[in-house]
């Protein structure tokens, strides 16, 4: 059973920084086409309406960012491929949201894609 658990959400003043961490367990068998992402959503939104923030392709280490966070956020994955990090700098009030880490993967190359979401961690940016 794949489980994702985040930490690091907090209240911070504009211009501040936070580091979100997501630890995965039970994912060793879901080892094909692994793609990690951070999404965020307003409190009243469902996860289906969450906005993409950043992504990391485990196959080649390629990263992708939403335009609104480019140059401020950095996504990274540790060498053991179990801990995903989102370093957020120069935070703005509009970054206030619940952040979720996700993992997409396949158990076999010819199987469909599984998508796993963590519960989320709240980031609040205000003065």
């Amino acid at each position: 059973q794949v489980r994702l658990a985040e930490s690091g959400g907090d209240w911070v003043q504009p211009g501040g920084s936070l580091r979100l961490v997501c630890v995965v367990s039970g994912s060793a068998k879901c080892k094909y086409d692994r793609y990690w992402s951070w999404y965020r959503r307003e409190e009243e939104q469902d996860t289906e309406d969450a906005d993409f923030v950043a992504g990391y392709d485990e196959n080649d280490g390629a990263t992708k960012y939403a335009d609104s966070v480019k140059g401020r956020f950095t996504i990274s994955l540790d060498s053991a491929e179990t801990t995903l990090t989102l370093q957020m700098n120069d935070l703005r009030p509009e970054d206030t949201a619940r952040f979720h880490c996700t993992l997409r993967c396949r158990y076999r190359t010819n199987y469909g894609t599984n998508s796993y979401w963590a519960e989320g961690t709240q980031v609040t940016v205000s003065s």
Side-chain angles (χ1 to χ4, degrees):
Q1 180 79 12
V2 176
R3 297 187 188 277
L4 300 168
E6 304 130 328
S7 62
D10 204 344
W11 170 83
V12 64
Q13 291 186 335
S17 298
L18 284 175
R19 185 168 178 261
L20 304 184
V21 175
C22 176
V23 178
V24 67
S25 60
S27 73
K29 292 183 178 180
C30 195
K31 59 183 179 179
Y32 297 101
D33 299 331
R34 288 164 62 105
Y35 192 88
W36 301 80
S37 302
W38 288 96
Y39 280 78
R40 63 185 177 187
R41 62 180 178 90
E42 303 289 335
E43 188 172 343
E44 64 274 13
Q45 286 182 314
D46 293 329
T47 53
E48 293 83 15
D49 297 322
D51 295 321
F52 173 81
V53 176
Y56 183 100
D57 190 329
E58 201 173 293
N59 287 331
D60 58 9
T63 58
K64 183 178 180 180
Y65 296 93
D67 288 343
S68 59
V69 307
K70 282 181 182 176
R72 300 188 298 124
F73 291 11
T74 303
I75 187 172
S76 60
L77 183 68
D78 73 329
S79 58
E81 300 172 346
T82 60
T83 303
L84 184 73
T85 299
L86 185 68
Q87 178 65 42
M88 306 187 293
N89 299 327
D90 188 23
L91 282 161
R92 305 166 182 171
E94 54 265 37
D95 294 318
T96 295
R98 190 164 188 84
F99 283 70
H100 299 264
C101 71
T102 75
L103 171 64
R104 290 200 324 256
C105 54
R106 300 174 190 265
Y107 286 87
R108 296 285 188 272
T109 56
N110 59 339
Y111 280 17
T113 299
N114 293 75
S115 182
Y116 299 97
W117 283 63
E119 187 174 325
T121 185
Q122 181 66 33
V123 172
T124 302
V125 185
S126 70
S127 54

